[in-house]
Amino acid sequence: MRSVARVVVVVVVVVLLLAVTGSGASPLHVRVSPQATHRQRLQAARALLKESPLIDGHNDLAWNARMFLHNKLHSFNLSSDLTQQKPWMNSPFSHTDLPRLKKGHVAAQFWSVYVPCESQYLNTVQLLLEQIDVVKRMIAGSHKDTVLVRSPAEIMKEFERGRVASLMGMEGGHGLASSMGVVRAVYDLGVRYITLTHKCHTPWAECSETGPHPPNTRGLTPYGQELIREMNRVGLMVDVSHASASTARDVLTISRAPVIFSHSAARALCDIERNVPDDILSSLAENGGIVMVSFYNDFLTCSQAASIQDVVAHINHVRTMAGVDYVGLGAGYDGVNRTPKGLENVSRYPELFAELLRDPTWSLQDLKKLAGLNLLRVFTRVEQVREELVSEKPSEEIIPIHDIDTRWPCRYKFASLDHART
Ligand SMILES: *[C@@H]1O[C@H](CO)[C@@H](O)[C@H](O)[C@H]1NC(C)=O
Ligand SMILES: *[C@@H]1O[C@H](CO)[C@@H](O)[C@H](O)[C@H]1NC(C)=O
């Protein structure tokens, strides 16, 4: 009897100890004091990110695979330390590998499948498919550490398993070749958001760069609006980072699902077209969307230098103007060559949370929202809208011929169709 009692006592003590020391799953009840040391705040930040997922909206590693390796992955290993390997070790554009993602407590990463504007009206769809392919092969090569997921539920499943959830976001609506069929196909391939423009206007949406303007594009054209409706219907998140403010306003007006900015900063703090103006931030809550704050120095301070405090300032500005439910993280690592002091690579996210813990107005729950819960809410709502629209028919709209004809001479022309629409 006595030895049974002793076993019971030992078991109870072990269970209690596990609960207190937190071997992964213990709830954080008490917020660390804002006056705590850096070490204590960093420890609290790590505990927070173990408990609740961190989701980053944008990483350009896959384009570096194109530029550095021509998409040849035979000697590439995302699970290895890329700081020890050429050409990654020498590149100011390289900030990412799985060891650092894990150190950074990144639960889910949207990998950008990007195609350059120079390919618009050329082989852009081929380049897009090759980027989707290279992301899938990169992930398959590291299946013990990461796996491609397609839903909020799968993000949470992988978070609980301890693997990084990989997702794909397509950057540059020109990659759609203005085709509803391509929208549906990229969803089927696993893409979960589309950035409507990169640095060029498409025939149906205006980008944030100034430059030669096609006549029809101030904001979204009617065909652009139809594309948004189709993206809502299939369950693709609409991303308006890189789009002009007029395009973003048009999208916010017509989208039936929340809209994202996958990697943008606040225009009030750095006045460039690429950043989000205050009127859009103020109206974001109505749509239920999210601004995922970019860590690119040039967007943060309008100069080449920036620090972790500048990222905090942008996050706080979005929180003030939009609300704490509408802010997230979209660092943009591997797509930029200047990152803030303190946030040099993907291993550094806990430093950001340690910094935010100095501010008593950030509660633990709000920090979890910033880290990933807000994006999960948006993604979940986008899936619900897809369910709600299940009886809607796929769009069969074709872009008006006069919107592309002179700009896209080298395409197969269906004589009767073009004739009918001229
Ligand atoms: C990739 O790197 C990891 C970590 O060094 C190693 O465990 C794994 O075996 C490597 N994979 C291949 C295919 O070499
Ligand atoms: C990541 O950034 C930190 C801070 O600058 C630096 O100490 C560390 O060496 C970097 N890690 C890698 C692997 O690049």
Side-chain angles (χ1 to χ4, degrees):
M1 272 305 278
R2 244 193 303 166
S3 68
V4 169
R6 204 177 298 155
V7 167
V8 170
V9 169
V10 167
V11 167
V12 169
V13 168
V14 166
V15 167
L16 283 176
L17 268 179
L18 278 176
V20 173
T21 56
S23 53
S26 78
L28 270 179
H29 294 301
V30 186
R31 186 198 190 284
V32 72
S33 154
Q35 281 83 40
T37 63
H38 174 258
R39 194 190 155 88
Q40 289 166 330
R41 283 181 283 111
L42 192 56
Q43 205 169 19
R46 293 204 177 106
L48 178 113
L49 298 177
K50 266 189 196 171
E51 195 177 294
S52 198
L54 187 157
I55 304 172
D56 181 276
H58 199 88
N59 186 299
D60 283 300
L61 177 78
W63 186 247
N64 289 336
R66 168 80 71 171
M67 299 306 279
F68 299 167
L69 310 176
H70 309 288
N71 284 0
K72 296 180 182 181
L73 301 185
H74 53 81
S75 55
F76 175 82
N77 181 349
L78 190 58
S79 298
S80 66
D81 178 1
L82 292 181
T83 65
Q84 301 305 311
Q85 290 162 48
K86 285 182 188 168
W88 308 89
M89 63 194 288
N90 299 321
S91 173
F93 284 91
S94 176
H95 317 114
T96 309
D97 51 36
L98 278 161
R100 276 177 286 175
L101 283 168
K102 287 181 166 179
K103 195 164 170 226
H105 289 274
V106 176
Q109 179 67 67
F110 280 89
W111 302 106
S112 175
V113 287
Y114 159 78
V115 284
C117 276
E118 290 74 10
S119 71
Q120 183 165 214
Y121 308 124
L122 297 170
N123 55 343
T124 175
V125 177
Q126 177 193 340
L127 295 181
L128 172 69
L129 293 177
E130 288 171 353
Q131 290 314 104
I132 292 173
D133 167 71
V134 84
V135 167
K136 289 189 172 183
R137 289 190 291 126
M138 226 161 53
I139 293 166
S142 291
H143 60 91
K144 288 204 182 90
D145 301 315
T146 186
V147 65
L148 184 70
V149 307
R150 294 169 171 81
S151 67
E154 286 181 315
I155 291 177
M156 288 314 292
K157 198 179 100 199
E158 293 305 323
F159 178 60
E160 272 141 35
R161 275 191 68 160
R163 279 195 300 199
V164 176
S166 283
L167 299 107
M168 289 186 289
M170 166 182 166
E171 186 173 32
H174 51 282
L176 296 173
S178 302
S179 162
M180 298 291 171
V182 177
V183 171
R184 293 185 284 268
V186 297
Y187 180 88
D188 288 343
L189 290 171
V191 170
R192 285 298 175 269
Y193 75 68
I194 296 177
T195 315
L196 296 185
T197 72
H198 191 244
K199 296 182 183 177
C200 51
H201 309 297
T202 68
W204 43 270
E206 177 191 33
C207 75
S208 63
E209 305 285 313
T210 49
H213 228 280
N216 293 330
T217 45
R218 291 281 177 233
L220 281 178
T221 66
Y223 188 74
Q225 296 172 13
E226 183 72 10
L227 276 165
I228 302 304
R229 282 189 284 271
E230 188 64 357
M231 287 171 66
N232 290 161
R233 192 190 64 82
V234 302
L236 268 161
M237 289 184 273
V238 181
D239 176 19
V240 283
S241 278
H242 283 290
S244 72
S246 330
T247 302
R249 287 185 196 108
D250 286 354
V251 172
L252 286 164
T253 305
I254 67 150
S255 178
R256 296 170 289 182
V259 167
I260 72 168
F261 292 78
S262 70
H263 59 309
S264 289
R267 202 181 289 185
L269 304 187
C270 166
D271 187 9
I272 51 171
E273 285 292 307
R274 180 66 179 74
N275 284 340
V276 190
D278 278 350
D279 71 289
I280 293 181
L281 291 177
S282 309
S283 72
L284 196 60
E286 230 172 289
N287 163 269
I290 187 171
V291 174
M292 305 176 87
V293 173
S294 154
F295 294 2
Y296 182 33
N297 291 2
D298 301 42
F299 295 169
L300 295 167
T301 61
C302 286
S303 79
Q304 296 194 357
S307 69
I308 200 164
Q309 284 81 19
D310 295 309
V311 175
V312 168
H314 281 263
I315 289 170
N316 283 336
H317 186 79
V318 176
R319 181 179 64 158
T320 303
M321 298 304 297
V324 74
D325 294 320
Y326 312 101
V327 60
L329 304 174
Y333 284 116
D334 269 59
V336 299
N337 53 354
R338 287 182 284 275
T339 54
K341 194 164 164 30
L343 293 172
E344 289 81 1
N345 56 58
V346 295
S347 75
R348 307 286 285 175
Y349 293 94
E351 295 287 345
L352 175 66
F353 286 84
E355 184 65 25
L356 287 163
L357 281 165
R358 289 174 63 182
D359 176 350
T361 67
W362 277 97
S363 69
L364 290 177
Q365 186 57 25
D366 287 353
L367 290 170
K368 290 177 185 176
K369 289 179 178 178
L370 167 72
L373 297 185
N374 286 341
L375 190 277
L376 280 178
R377 182 203 71 236
V378 168
F379 197 177
T380 303
R381 179 63 198 143
V382 166
E383 286 196 331
Q384 279 170 1
V385 170
R386 170 188 162 90
E387 295 303 316
E388 287 165 19
L389 300 177
V390 73
S391 61
E392 216 170 81
K393 295 270 183 295
S395 172
E396 297 186 333
E397 286 297 311
I398 294 173
I399 187 141
I401 189 66
H402 51 263
D403 287 354
I404 55 167
D405 204 20
T406 55
R407 275 174 268 155
W408 195 2
C410 300
R411 66 186 199 285
Y412 180 79
K413 297 184 179 85
F414 297 90
S416 58
L417 184 64
D418 280 6
H419 181 73
R421 293 181 160 264
T422 306

